Amino acid sequence: MSDFTLPMTRQRPFDPPEEVAELRQQASMHRMTYADGHVGWLVTGYAEARAVLAHPGFSNRPEKMHSPIPARLELVKERGYGVPRGWFLRMDAPEHTRYRKLLTGQFTVRRMKALESRIAEITNACLDDMAAAGGPVDLVQAFALPIPSLVICELLGVPYDDRAQFQEDSKILVNLETKADDVLAALGRVSAYLHGLIQRKRKEPADDLLSGLIESGELDDEELTGVAFLLLVAGHETTANMLGLGTYALLTNPDQLAAMRDDPSVVDNGVEELLRYLTIIHLGPFRLATEDVEISGNLIKEGEMVGVHLPVVNRDPSRFPDGEHLDVTRPAGGHMTFGHGIHQCLGQQLARAEMRIAYPALLRRFPALRLAVTPEEVPMRSDMSIYGVHRLPVTW
């Protein structure tokens, strides 16, 4: 099936594209044509996805990668495929190992635990503001976006009052249709802002992650800027979309909403099930074979691209029976929404904490919470690399 190209539109808001789901029923790996004509692979099976993401014969560096999205080809022509210093997510060992080890020392259990009370305070403040304003409101702007934005700003030591520009630039960067010039301009603005912030923190350090990285003396300013860039964008884009899309899913599944609202023992598992069922990583991850690798009887040749379709992988019936349905009581561990292997999400415990606190707090404060529009009117982020809702009008 070498003529298959990757679809982005989901026919139903919570389900993967039908074309990809149908492929998984046929086989777990498929030939796929990338935007520049390169014929590589698409992985739709759970076991095969884990094997690819854990295998040392695949690279995450972008220099020789092929994009599945036509709009991104223009960016490659403008900028090339270099990896900015500090962008550890696009590096391989041992370079990646150095950054990962340093950052793991900052994402300590103590720091994450200490943040929980602050997450609860931030959540309650958002709910107070919602109650004072009265419905209807856009839950994305009133709740889903400010909670992780405030948390990541406090964790990193970024002034929250500066959020407007970097939130706007983040949207530009994850929009798959953004022109190359606009992407480069957004990259430049965020990087320049963070570089200036790092200069200030060198003079006036505080009890935050960026100050801790500066104090370690392991990274220069360019590396610090790159690391901060990744953490800032990823830290609010991902959880914000899980909070928005997850609430939308619960509002359209009243029995699941009631379980999350009324039974505290369900919440931890419910968060895992929402992560699995919704899988907001809409595109990728992608890897490049640096040697010939055999996965489940398929020979991936050196130089070939492999894309893992996580929304379909997380519904593989061999691992998740009846996975097409949302069930917050189902044991949902083992999903790959946070990835697998050496690039597994560094901030996953922080994201879990935010969701465990925010979902039940919202549902208990507003037990009559409901959509203020029809489900069909909710605008979906099919044009973004991170899936979710653009807006979620709600009332109570």
Side-chain angles (χ1 to χ4, degrees):
M1 191 171 291
S2 62
D3 60 343
F4 180 78
T5 55
L6 189 65
M8 297 302 299
T9 302
R10 303 189 184 199
Q11 290 82 359
R12 293 178 297 276
F14 309 122
D15 297 336
E18 289 179 357
E19 303 94 320
V20 188
E22 290 170 1
L23 280 184
R24 189 195 58 217
Q25 296 174 8
Q26 301 168 22
S28 56
M29 293 182 62
H30 316 267
R31 298 297 271 174
M32 186 182 87
T33 301
Y34 287 71
D36 60 357
H38 170 77
V39 179
W41 294 86
L42 179 69
V43 174
T44 56
Y46 181 87
E48 291 74 15
R50 284 177 63 92
V52 167
L53 295 179
H55 199 289
F58 292 100
S59 172
N60 199 35
R61 293 191 68 90
E63 284 88 348
K64 296 181 180 180
M65 284 193 175
H66 305 268
S67 174
I69 304 300
R72 286 296 184 252
L73 296 179
E74 180 190 0
L75 181 61
V76 174
K77 293 175 184 176
E78 292 284 337
R79 183 188 176 110
Y81 262 135
V83 181
R85 297 181 67 221
W87 282 38
F88 60 95
L89 291 180
R90 305 309 308 271
M91 297 175 180
D92 300 328
E95 195 177 15
H96 168 268
T97 310
R98 170 180 169 250
Y99 287 105
R100 183 85 182 196
K101 183 177 180 181
L102 187 62
L103 284 162
T104 300
Q106 296 295 327
F107 278 84
T108 61
V109 173
R110 178 191 67 81
R111 180 171 265 159
M112 296 305 105
K113 194 71 178 174
L115 272 174
E116 288 186 4
S117 61
R118 185 66 185 121
I119 295 169
E121 289 175 6
I122 291 168
T123 300
N124 288 329
C126 287
L127 296 174
D128 289 343
D129 290 344
M130 283 176 58
V137 301
D138 174 12
L139 195 76
V140 171
Q141 294 300 320
F143 183 79
L145 185 57
I147 291 172
S149 293
L150 264 165
V151 171
I152 197 64
C153 282
E154 292 201 7
L155 177 65
L156 291 175
V158 175
Y160 185 63
D161 288 345
D162 296 345
R163 70 192 182 282
Q165 185 60 59
F166 70 68
Q167 285 178 353
E168 189 60 35
D169 285 327
S170 293
K171 290 180 187 176
I172 292 171
L173 293 169
V174 300
N175 189 324
L176 298 172
E177 298 173 358
T178 302
K179 299 287 188 184
D181 287 347
D182 295 330
V183 171
L184 294 174
L187 283 168
R189 284 191 296 269
V190 178
S191 296
Y193 167 76
L194 290 170
H195 188 270
L197 179 65
I198 287 162
Q199 301 306 307
R200 297 198 298 273
K201 287 191 174 295
R202 284 198 179 278
K203 298 174 183 176
E204 298 179 12
D207 184 19
D208 56 56
L209 193 148
L210 277 182
S211 296
L213 288 174
I214 291 169
E215 185 180 2
S216 74
E218 294 286 333
L219 305 177
D220 62 29
D221 286 357
E222 187 179 354
E223 291 175 299
L224 287 164
T225 299
V227 168
F229 182 99
L230 291 181
L231 296 179
L232 181 63
V233 173
H236 76 271
E237 274 287 341
T238 49
T239 308
N241 283 291
M242 266 308 301
L243 289 175
L245 186 63
T247 302
Y248 180 26
L250 293 171
L251 289 173
T252 53
N253 289 271
D255 55 333
Q256 304 300 307
L257 185 151
M260 286 284 282
R261 181 190 63 214
D262 301 334
D263 186 352
S265 69
V266 166
V267 172
D268 285 8
N269 192 83
V271 165
E272 298 304 313
E273 172 69 350
L274 286 166
L275 284 162
R276 179 202 70 81
Y277 178 71
L278 298 173
T279 312
I280 61 169
I281 302 304
H282 192 44
L283 186 66
F286 294 93
R287 298 290 187 266
L288 180 77
T290 57
E291 59 187 61
D292 288 357
V293 179
E294 185 174 316
I295 302 289
S296 294
N298 297 285
L299 179 62
I300 303 169
K301 295 182 179 179
E302 179 182 352
E304 288 187 333
M305 281 286 294
V306 181
V308 176
H309 202 287
L310 289 181
V312 165
V313 164
N314 273 341
R315 296 190 181 192
D316 186 336
S318 68
R319 180 61 179 80
F320 303 103
D322 196 30
E324 301 299 323
H325 298 96
L326 176 65
D327 180 1
V328 295
T329 65
R330 177 212 324 266
H335 65 77
M336 295 211 298
T337 300
F338 291 116
H340 181 65
I342 66 170
H343 289 287
Q344 194 173 38
C345 176
L346 188 65
Q348 60 183 287
Q349 297 310 327
L350 177 60
R352 286 185 167 103
E354 291 171 328
M355 288 182 276
R356 285 197 302 261
I357 292 167
Y359 283 131
L362 171 69
L363 300 177
R364 290 168 192 162
R365 176 71 73 92
F366 300 108
L369 190 72
R370 62 189 185 278
L371 291 175
V373 297
T374 65
E376 295 75 22
E377 292 178 288
V378 175
M380 308 306 299
R381 287 170 52 110
S382 297
D383 55 341
M384 302 290 195
S385 59
I386 300 173
Y387 190 63
V389 293
H390 283 296
R391 295 179 300 282
L392 189 65
V394 297
T395 192
W396 51 89

